[in-house]
Amino acid sequence: MQFDYARAFSRNIGWVTESEQARLRNARIAIAGLGGVGGEHSLVLARLGIGKLVLADFDEFDLHNMNRQAGAFMSTMGRTKLDTIERMTLDINPEIQVRKFPSGIDLNNLDEFLEGVDVYVDALDFFAIDIRRQVFARCREKGIPALTAAPLGMSTALLYFSADGMSFEDYFKLEGHTKDEQLARFAVGLSPAMLNRSYLVAPEAVNFREKRGPSTGMACALCGGVMGTAVLKVLLGRGALRPAPWAMQFDAYGQKLKFTWRPWGNSNPLQQLLLMLVRPLLRGKDAGSKAKT
């Protein structure tokens, strides 16, 4: 069957107009990281009809990715996430333009990665704090809206940094702190509501020292849907999307939706209380026993 863009994405029409679909077709979205949420984001945006993607990832699929990553199949074990996700997006839309960064992103290629980008979608590993700060800072300089959707438990937590609103650094307040403290601040800033915390049944599975934690495919799928909708709203200028210091979390397990507003970001007194709860997790294997007391 011959591919036809208008027919392939005709079921979007009604929720978007034909002229809006044309704008989506011409939009360029950059996604850094193609693991749990990055793969989902790529496929959701491809099915939305986004015509240009910039993808960065240096990793390969392994068995521990199977429970949550869109490109993880027995047939893709050992293959690069970048080539796999590219192939999947082209299988959805053979006309999609994909610019690839197989070594990931760093300060040497960051400007090239963000060249001509309309929206940046953050899907970097949770622990990649240094490069994440650099990407958000460069987006700010270039006037590029930036979004992140965190998969937490069986929920998604969305943060939107508009081109002229509160910055990533002003919200998370990471400057001058140790790496462990930066991770704690990033964690509580992602999810001030912490709706997922109540059903963590094996706290010992969270180990910041070993850079690991539990995750679910449900959360990643939720992130993809929420992110696709947020990108659509930013690109088309339709409907309200609350920027930081607002944050949103929807938890499917608890069937709860909560918006939080944290003026001064992590300097807010409520955030300081949350930090007191999260910091013990940085003790690694002691986190489980601490959480049970």
Side-chain angles (χ1 to χ4, degrees):
M1 181 179 293
Q2 187 174 359
F3 179 79
D4 177 80
Y5 181 93
R7 185 179 179 191
F9 303 106
S10 60
R11 292 299 181 95
N12 290 342
I13 306 303
W15 301 115
V16 299
T17 66
E18 290 187 2
S19 62
E20 286 175 330
Q21 188 66 59
R23 288 163 63 185
L24 297 175
R25 186 178 189 178
N26 290 318
R28 176 176 282 113
I29 310 300
I31 306 173
L34 297 176
V37 292
E40 288 285 351
H41 295 335
S42 302
L43 301 185
V44 168
L45 293 174
R47 293 196 187 279
L48 183 59
I50 296 296
K52 303 170 186 176
L53 292 176
V54 186
L55 306 178
D57 197 289
F58 56 82
D59 201 6
E60 299 175 347
F61 284 111
D62 201 346
L63 276 175
H64 67 270
N65 304 141
M66 196 68 80
N67 77 313
R68 70 198 183 283
Q69 298 197 10
F73 302 92
M74 287 307 298
S75 61
T76 62
M77 291 296 103
R79 296 184 182 180
T80 65
K81 296 179 181 180
L82 180 58
D83 289 342
T84 299
I85 295 300
E86 179 194 30
R87 176 181 55 78
M88 294 174 76
T89 59
L90 288 170
D91 216 13
I92 294 168
N93 176 5
E95 297 177 354
I96 201 167
Q97 299 176 28
V98 181
R99 199 162 76 215
K100 299 192 298 181
F101 288 77
S103 299
I105 52 174
D106 54 38
L107 291 180
N108 294 321
N109 62 15
L110 187 50
D111 285 328
E112 183 184 358
F113 175 73
L114 293 174
E115 183 179 355
V117 166
D118 296 299
V119 177
Y120 169 65
V121 171
D122 174 43
L124 292 165
D125 184 88
F126 173 83
F127 297 95
I129 289 292
D130 292 339
I131 187 59
R132 176 176 277 111
R133 294 178 67 193
Q134 295 291 343
V135 179
F136 274 91
R138 198 63 57 87
C139 285
R140 178 80 170 184
E141 293 172 7
K142 294 176 175 290
I144 300 172
L147 299 119
T148 188
L152 303 170
M154 298 171 221
S155 73
T156 178
L158 179 72
L159 276 170
Y160 166 44
F161 293 93
S162 62
D164 55 1
M166 190 178 206
S167 71
F168 180 93
E169 190 61 44
D170 285 342
Y171 179 79
F172 284 103
K173 299 286 195 303
L174 304 180
E175 183 66 31
H177 293 285
T178 66
K179 184 60 63 67
D180 284 353
E181 177 66 10
Q182 287 180 356
L183 289 173
R185 287 171 173 260
F186 185 53
V188 301
L190 282 175
S191 175
M194 292 232 168
L195 297 179
N196 53 294
R197 186 171 178 267
S198 63
Y199 55 88
L200 180 64
V201 294
E204 64 275 9
V206 180
N207 192 314
F208 279 21
R209 292 292 184 189
E210 297 179 7
K211 296 185 177 182
R212 62 175 172 83
S215 56
T216 69
M218 297 85 80
C220 293
L222 286 169
C223 287
V226 167
M227 179 60 76
T229 305
V231 168
L232 179 149
K233 295 179 79 171
V234 171
L235 289 174
L236 302 182
R238 278 181 41 186
L241 188 63
R242 303 177 187 183
W246 284 96
M248 181 203 80
Q249 185 174 4
F250 170 68
D251 187 84
Y253 186 88
Q255 298 188 353
K256 295 178 180 178
L257 171 67
K258 187 168 183 179
F259 289 90
T260 53
W261 184 56
R262 295 292 185 266
W264 315 295
N266 275 334
S267 293
N268 188 286
L270 291 175
Q271 294 299 96
Q272 291 295 308
L273 289 174
L274 283 178
L275 279 166
M276 293 177 65
L277 294 174
V278 168
R279 285 182 180 119
L281 294 175
L282 300 177
R283 299 176 183 176
K285 294 181 179 180
D286 293 336
S289 59
K290 178 71 176 179
K292 293 176 182 176
T293 60

